[in-house]
Amino acid sequence: MSYLVKSIMSKPVVTVDANSRVSDALELMRKKKIASLVVKPSRPDDAFGIFTKRDIVTKVVARNLDPRHLFVSEIMSKPVIKISPIATLRECSILMSKAGVRRLPVFDDDKLVGIISDTDIFQCVEERGWESEFETKDDQDPFLVALHSRVRSQLDLGTDADRVAAAITLAVGELYRAL
């Protein structure tokens, strides 16, 4: 079974009001030693936002603006891209990559329950490795364990389209023959 977002997400999430001054939000980030804040909706029908160090660099420092005279709402990203706590780390990393973001707030339905960053995923993979989709327990079907190993070896040679197609063809062929 794959690692899930909920197993490595940070909680509780540090939040900030959209009408806070950027300088106050920066001080909060410094005190908490974090790189982002989730911005709470200002109205019940409003969306969550996110305020990151990247926002500071690209929207304040690069434009030579004074953070004491800016509000979080003026530079935050909104609405946020969300992830479920039961998403796999692989799904999370793909979503981050496609969206071009480094962190995702974690929502269980409409409730903010955590936040996950690319650093969290990297540390997990470095410490534990990518856990296999198939556990190799003694009580598992030996055919499936062997098939998984053969497909994995194909994919270890590369993940270009031809290699993935070869792995899929191998898996489908073996499953068809087993039926």
Side-chain angles (χ1 to χ4, degrees):
M1 179 175 242
S2 295
Y3 294 121
L4 301 180
V5 166
K6 68 181 178 181
S7 68
I8 67 164
M9 69 184 186
S10 298
K11 56 185 179 182
V13 181
V14 181
T15 61
V16 67
D17 291 321
N19 60 356
S20 297
R21 297 227 178 254
V22 169
S23 56
D24 295 332
L26 282 169
E27 181 62 18
L28 178 60
M29 290 167 70
R30 188 188 64 74
K31 282 182 183 175
K32 298 285 187 176
K33 297 180 180 175
I34 55 177
S36 65
L37 298 167
V38 173
V39 184
K40 296 183 280 189
S42 52
R43 300 176 318 276
D45 62 336
D46 200 8
F48 281 86
I50 193 162
F51 175 79
T52 67
K53 284 184 178 179
R54 186 189 303 176
D55 291 327
I56 300 303
V57 171
T58 61
K59 299 174 183 174
V60 178
V61 176
R63 296 178 185 164
N64 200 28
L65 299 175
D66 187 342
R68 295 171 298 179
H69 299 113
L70 291 172
F71 293 98
V72 170
S73 62
E74 296 176 274
I75 66 167
M76 69 181 186
S77 299
K78 178 177 153 186
V80 293
I81 297 169
K82 305 173 184 180
I83 189 104
S84 166
I86 59 171
T88 66
L89 295 188
R90 192 174 305 273
E91 291 167 330
C92 184
S93 64
I94 290 168
L95 178 58
M96 285 178 173
S97 177
K98 285 183 179 180
V101 298
R102 299 185 60 204
R103 57 197 51 78
L104 295 172
V106 182
F107 282 81
D108 192 357
D109 292 322
D110 290 334
K111 183 179 179 195
L112 178 64
V113 295
I115 191 164
I116 187 167
S117 71
D118 58 351
T119 303
D120 297 329
I121 295 171
F122 178 77
Q123 287 175 341
C124 179
V125 171
E126 279 294 293
E127 291 169 10
R128 306 177 198 171
W130 285 109
E131 192 172 85
S132 173
E133 292 292 325
F134 295 97
E135 295 176 355
T136 54
K137 293 183 180 174
D138 294 336
D139 62 344
Q140 261 196 323
D141 183 319
F143 170 78
L144 291 178
V145 171
L147 178 58
H148 175 258
S149 176
R150 291 175 55 204
V151 169
R152 187 78 249 154
S153 352
Q154 281 288 321
L155 293 174
D156 286 343
L157 298 173
T159 55
D160 57 280
D162 290 337
R163 197 54 72 187
V164 171
I168 291 169
T169 302
L170 169 70
V172 169
E174 290 295 316
L175 287 170
Y176 180 75
R177 279 190 281 284
L179 297 175

